[in-house]
Amino acid sequence: EKGEYKHFLHKEIHEQPKAIADTILGRLKFKGQNIWLEGIDTQKLKAINRVLIVACGTSFHSAMIGKQIIEEKAKIPVEIELASEFRYRNCILDKNTLVIGISQSGETADTIGALNSAKSRGMALLAICNAIDSAIARLCEDDAGIFYTRAGPEISVASTKAFTTQVAALHLLALTFAYLNKSLHKGEILKEIEKLKTIPKVIESVLACEKDIAKVAQNVASADHMLFLGRGILYPIALEGALKMKEISYLHAEGYAAGEMKHGPIALIDENMPVVVLAAKGQGYEKIVSNLEEVKARNGRVLVLCDKNDKKLIKRSDMNFLLPFCDSTILPFVAAIPLQLFAYHVALIRGTDVDQPRNLAKSVTVE
Ligand code: F6R
């Protein structure tokens, strides 16, 4: 089943171009004046003026990205809550709020609990889910509906292709909202979809640089701690990069909004703690360059993820992950890939059980 790959994780990382294409192609259409999104009752979305997303783990990181996309495209306020917190909190909800649950497995106990609690309060529910006919899918099918990510089975415990396809799903949902509330017109939406369609190709080109990423992994795999910093849409990507690193390689990694570094974590920086800085124009670029300088001034080793033409940053970095040019629509997809491969190669060097990390289960069906 693993074919040419030694691990499911590695195979699933490489399946992302297809998984994303399958999640996007033919899933959103215009039928006359109406917009159609597969599996979704768009009539139920018309009156929505606020969104709340609940999820856990990696799916929560895609929710963080979804918040930024929906707010930008559709101008609808979006709140995000960890499912485990939401279910025990008396969150303020009103009848025009849509509650979205995001889950790869569709069986995560906390996310089921959060959606059930929203349902009992009469809220409209929508699921973004990978596992067909799972508990979460069934909870939402007679409601606003289910948008299935078409990642295919994800066997490795660490989530990779489910994550990027969730972000793709959130894009399509944001565009649907934007059409319904007239934030964007049809032509603008079709243009955005064309852009999304270019993602698989761009990801292919990043996957082709795996050897370079493996070399960087050689240089840092013996560290005990690592920090991932990002701003804007790269902040959730920093959190996700750190989560992948800790769960499969057992190397302690923390993700931080770069602006928060000076409020505490800067105390940790020395020559023994590599700092991964995620930088892109439009995502607080100038500020993150100065964060990088702060790290260097404290003898930190900096590993920069940036555009391959960004000579200034490349010169200032000790190691780097280089990306082809990406605008903000495709950036989160593309930026996630080197960090997944990075965690994989560090884990290989450290000799951990990549597909079945200790103490973890693929679907967390207990609280
Ligand atoms: C991380 C990971 C977990 C899951 C989380 C939610 O790689 O796999 O953090 O993302 O347990 O799972 P789902 O999406 O199935 O609800």
Side-chain angles (χ1 to χ4, degrees):
E1 265 192 274
K2 281 180 261 186
E4 61 186 288
Y5 296 98
K6 219 170 123 199
H7 296 101
F8 281 109
L9 183 84
H10 197 210
K11 175 171 177 257
E12 288 161 8
I13 291 171
H14 281 266
E15 280 171 350
Q16 286 174 105
K18 180 176 185 317
I20 293 168
D22 289 347
T23 300
I24 293 169
L25 297 178
R27 309 294 301 280
L28 184 160
K29 289 178 188 157
F30 288 94
K31 297 190 171 171
Q33 293 303 305
N34 294 325
I35 192 161
W36 172 89
L37 184 63
E38 191 178 308
I40 303 301
D41 182 351
T42 49
Q43 286 302 322
K44 289 217 168 96
L45 305 186
K46 277 193 172 150
I48 296 302
N49 60 19
R50 182 170 164 245
V51 171
L52 176 85
I53 312 181
V54 292
C56 304
T58 288
S59 296
F60 183 76
H61 296 154
S62 72
M64 293 177 76
I65 297 174
K67 171 183 163 73
Q68 296 193 31
I69 302 169
I70 297 170
E71 290 188 345
E72 189 199 308
K73 304 283 179 216
K75 319 285 179 219
I76 297 174
V78 180
E79 281 166 81
I80 48 178
E81 284 259 357
L82 291 164
S84 56
E85 289 295 320
F86 171 81
R87 60 187 296 200
Y88 297 114
R89 211 165 77 77
N90 201 7
C91 190
I92 299 162
L93 297 169
D94 67 65
K95 64 178 185 357
N96 296 326
T97 303
L98 174 72
V99 178
I100 302 178
I102 307 180
S103 176
Q104 186 287 128
S105 63
E107 304 291 346
T108 300
D110 280 320
T111 312
I112 296 173
L115 290 172
N116 267 323
S117 122
K119 190 174 191 156
S120 69
R121 295 174 64 185
M123 306 309 303
L125 304 185
L126 185 150
I128 293 176
C129 191
N130 195 46
I132 292 169
D133 210 26
S134 52
I136 287 171
R138 286 197 302 271
L139 250 170
C140 301
E141 69 190 343
D142 295 325
D143 219 308
I146 313 150
F147 186 87
Y148 282 114
T149 47
R150 295 253 172 87
E154 197 181 59
I155 311 284
S156 177
V157 164
S159 188
T160 52
K161 59 179 181 170
F163 172 69
T164 44
T165 56
Q166 286 164 353
V167 178
L170 286 157
H171 257 286
L172 296 182
L173 194 62
L175 296 176
T176 304
F177 277 127
Y179 183 73
L180 292 171
N181 74 10
K182 302 191 166 59
S183 296
L184 294 177
H185 52 71
K186 185 174 161 182
E188 290 168 313
I189 290 169
L190 292 173
K191 233 182 179 165
E192 275 295 302
I193 294 176
E194 284 311 306
K195 223 189 262 173
L196 293 174
K197 285 187 191 163
T198 66
I199 293 167
K201 259 223 154 70
V202 185
I203 290 183
E204 295 283 5
S205 73
V206 177
L207 290 169
C209 302
E210 181 163 357
K211 279 209 176 79
D212 302 329
I213 296 165
K215 262 189 217 138
V216 174
Q218 288 285 353
N219 284 325
V220 295
S222 60
D224 293 321
H225 308 278
M226 214 183 266
L227 192 60
F228 287 69
L229 302 176
R231 286 175 180 262
I233 211 126
L234 292 177
Y235 162 43
I237 296 292
L239 296 182
E240 177 57 12
L243 177 60
K244 285 298 86 103
M245 186 59 79
K246 65 186 131 194
E247 73 175 325
I248 64 171
S249 79
Y250 314 155
L251 189 159
H252 171 226
E254 290 299 328
Y256 256 91
E260 281 292 296
M261 185 176 70
K262 59 183 169 298
H263 299 286
I266 198 165
L268 296 167
I269 292 170
D270 63 15
E271 64 282 4
N272 300 317
M273 188 173 73
V275 180
V276 184
V277 176
L278 315 183
K281 296 267 158 70
Q283 311 297 327
Y285 181 80
E286 298 301 333
K287 298 284 175 193
I288 202 134
V289 173
S290 55
N291 295 135
L292 180 150
E293 298 298 348
E294 287 154 13
V295 173
K296 285 187 80 78
R298 285 155 189 88
N299 294 321
R301 277 192 294 164
V302 244
L303 207 168
V304 176
L305 175 142
C306 67
D307 188 294
K308 65 176 191 289
N309 294 316
D310 192 335
K311 296 203 175 66
K312 177 168 113 184
L313 271 190
I314 295 170
K315 230 171 84 193
R316 286 176 156 94
S317 65
D318 298 300
M319 294 162 271
N320 41 61
F321 299 136
L322 302 179
L323 302 181
F325 171 77
C326 305
D327 79 350
S328 63
T329 300
I330 62 174
L331 180 63
F333 298 91
V334 179
I337 309 295
L339 302 185
Q340 294 169 348
L341 287 170
F342 180 42
Y344 175 65
H345 284 280
V346 170
L348 285 183
I349 297 163
R350 292 168 70 106
T352 53
D353 187 345
V354 172
D355 281 334
Q356 283 288 340
R358 66 186 178 206
N359 310 337
L360 284 168
K362 183 62 185 161
S363 48
V364 185
T365 53
V366 291
E367 273 191 55

